[in-house]
Amino acid sequence: MDAFRQKYNCKLVEPYPANATAFAPSTDVMAAVRNGSVDISMAITFPYRLNLRGFSYPIEQMHWCLMLPVERDIPPAEYYINVFELAAFLLTLVTLVITSVTLTTALQQHGYQVQPMDFLMHENCLRGALGQSFYEVLRAPIVVRAIYVQICVLGFLLTAWYNSYFSAYVTSSPKEPPYRSYDDVLASNIKVVAWREEYNELIGRLTALKKYEPMFYVEPSFSKYISMRDSFNTHFGYMMTTTKWVVIHAQQNVFTRPLFRMRDDFCFFNNIPIGFPVHENSIYMQPIHDLILDVTATGLISHWGKSGFMELVEAGELHLTDLTPPREFRAMQLQDLQYIWYGFAFMAALSSSVWLLELFWHWLNRKKEQ
């Protein structure tokens, strides 16, 4: 509007001066234009149901989306169980069983004593797969030696594979699964911060979102809402337009790593034409139409959007500060071995149960003998 004033050498008078801490709903702005209270709106908004009557030529195409935190690192306790996918683990287990059957059959054919459980999982196969030493029969035949070599190679590959993946996870942690729908966001601990006036505008235009009301944290204070959004607190998500995202994206270029990203698949509105409410028979309709085309063709709209971040820095509203939490050395803690302790407790319970069954079986045999 300042460019409009300069080009046509006019003076803009606001009958209802804007308040920086108050938000006039777009319906009120459009109503003021339609009832003749003002000639043209100083603010831009989008038309209801895309009815462009009473609007200038669109100055931009806006997306109104969610800005969500970048997925967090998985807890260190899950490193151990994320190395193997279920398919890879089952394939490894089947390979060990086949190798055990082959080794036990070969030993049995050459006159060595074997146990029935050896066909299911031979001790040498299990130890070799874990990279441990194991007992070999004396003067083993060629076929048995070949199986021993195969077990050793399998152990080298498995331990090297596991250790390389585990080391990569420690140095560069994998991320938690991304949100795929509004239901995922609703089920998580993330609250989407929304200014009350914007929230009412959103719910008023998109009633289907009412079932996701618990997902939002509605803040009535505009100044507190701005301070929360500019703090880059990753415990919250924020409502974000593409115009503001240009500034946020430029600010995150200063960070060590980005903290937020705007999800195109979490948009309330897509490709919404944004323009100035103006009476369709107003004498200002054609001049502002020509001006919008001129500033768009010359790239001024794009330039104003990209330079918004540095202008805010020069004005002291934003600062060139890296808000990324530093990565610090963290010693292994007891909870990091959570699944290791679970496995140990399960195996201890299983071995104790087998031992008790053996004692019971021995007691029954002695009782029969007496």
Side-chain angles (χ1 to χ4, degrees):
M1 294 307 296
D2 185 62
F4 179 82
R5 178 188 61 81
Q6 294 181 24
K7 180 173 182 179
Y8 295 103
N9 193 25
C10 62
K11 180 180 179 181
L12 301 177
V13 178
E14 298 182 62
Y16 308 104
N19 186 350
T21 61
F23 181 81
S26 61
T27 53
D28 293 351
V29 173
M30 292 185 289
V33 173
R34 289 172 182 172
N35 63 25
S37 300
V38 295
D39 295 318
I40 186 172
S41 172
M42 293 283 288
I44 57 176
T45 185
F46 54 97
Y48 183 66
R49 293 183 179 179
L50 299 183
N51 184 7
L52 293 177
R53 293 185 60 183
F55 273 83
S56 67
Y57 187 84
I59 196 171
E60 64 172 323
Q61 297 286 328
M62 185 193 75
H63 306 304
W64 196 3
C65 312
L66 286 182
M67 183 180 75
L68 295 174
V70 173
E71 290 74 23
R72 299 179 182 178
D73 298 341
I74 64 173
E78 297 186 8
Y79 293 169
Y80 299 95
I81 62 175
N82 278 273
V83 172
F84 273 110
E85 288 187 352
L86 180 60
F89 177 77
L90 293 178
L91 178 61
T92 304
L93 189 61
V94 170
T95 303
L96 291 177
V97 172
I98 294 175
T99 307
S100 297
V101 171
T102 306
L103 176 61
T104 305
T105 303
L107 290 173
Q108 189 178 44
Q109 290 178 351
H110 287 84
Y112 294 96
Q113 186 177 3
V114 296
Q115 300 293 330
M117 288 297 297
D118 292 340
F119 287 94
L120 180 62
M121 183 61 67
H122 199 282
E123 179 185 3
N124 291 354
C125 292
L126 183 59
R127 287 182 175 274
L130 296 177
Q132 301 176 2
S133 59
F134 56 86
Y135 170 77
E136 299 181 7
V137 297
L138 186 64
R139 297 186 183 89
I142 291 295
V143 62
V144 176
R145 292 182 183 181
I147 297 174
Y148 284 155
V149 173
Q150 179 186 0
I151 293 173
C152 292
V153 172
L154 179 63
F156 291 151
L157 294 177
L158 286 178
T159 53
W161 181 27
Y162 188 92
N163 291 332
S164 61
Y165 269 82
F166 188 81
S167 300
Y169 285 177
V170 172
T171 55
S172 180
S173 302
K175 302 295 183 181
E176 294 181 347
Y179 302 113
R180 301 186 182 278
S181 65
Y182 290 117
D183 294 322
D184 292 344
V185 181
L186 183 63
S188 69
N189 294 325
I190 294 292
K191 290 289 186 179
V192 178
V193 180
W195 184 28
R196 183 173 58 188
E197 305 297 339
E198 274 189 338
Y199 174 77
N200 293 336
E201 182 83 7
L202 174 66
I203 295 299
R205 289 177 178 262
L206 202 62
T207 56
L209 283 177
K210 286 188 176 180
K211 67 176 182 178
Y212 297 110
E213 286 184 357
M215 181 178 72
F216 293 93
Y217 174 82
V218 182
E219 175 55 49
S221 172
F222 180 75
S223 58
K224 186 176 180 181
Y225 164 75
I226 294 297
S227 63
M228 291 180 66
R229 188 186 64 185
D230 293 343
S231 66
F232 285 85
N233 188 343
T234 55
H235 293 89
F236 296 96
Y238 304 92
M239 296 171 63
M240 184 62 54
T241 61
T242 48
T243 304
K244 178 60 180 177
W245 173 248
V246 174
V247 178
I248 297 294
H249 180 68
Q251 187 174 5
Q252 289 195 116
N253 290 333
V254 183
F255 298 170
T256 305
R257 62 182 186 277
L259 300 179
F260 287 88
R261 60 192 179 103
M262 192 173 74
R263 298 280 298 271
D264 294 336
D265 52 342
F266 280 93
C267 289
F268 307 119
F269 300 102
N270 284 293
N271 295 319
I272 300 299
I274 301 297
F276 294 96
V278 56
H279 199 278
E280 56 183 321
N281 295 322
S282 173
I283 60 173
Y284 304 108
M285 176 66 81
Q286 190 60 41
I288 198 169
H289 178 277
D290 296 339
L291 179 63
I292 290 175
L293 293 179
D294 289 342
V295 295
T296 302
T298 56
L300 284 176
I301 296 293
S302 177
H303 170 73
W304 289 335
K306 293 179 180 179
S307 61
F309 171 65
M310 291 308 302
E311 290 178 355
L312 290 172
V313 172
E314 294 173 358
E317 298 294 331
L318 296 178
H319 305 280
L320 297 174
T321 306
D322 186 1
L323 300 178
T324 307
R327 289 187 178 272
E328 299 178 352
F329 172 78
R330 177 182 174 275
M332 180 177 288
Q333 300 177 2
L334 185 62
Q335 60 266 26
D336 296 342
L337 301 176
Q338 174 184 356
Y339 294 101
I340 302 298
W341 292 118
Y342 287 164
F344 173 76
F346 173 77
M347 296 306 297
L350 180 62
S351 59
S352 300
S353 301
V354 172
W355 178 65
L356 292 175
L357 288 174
E358 289 180 351
L359 290 179
F360 180 71
W361 182 260
H362 181 67
W363 177 78
L364 285 179
N365 290 335
R366 289 185 59 183
K367 190 174 182 180
K368 289 179 180 179
E369 291 176 357
Q370 293 176 356

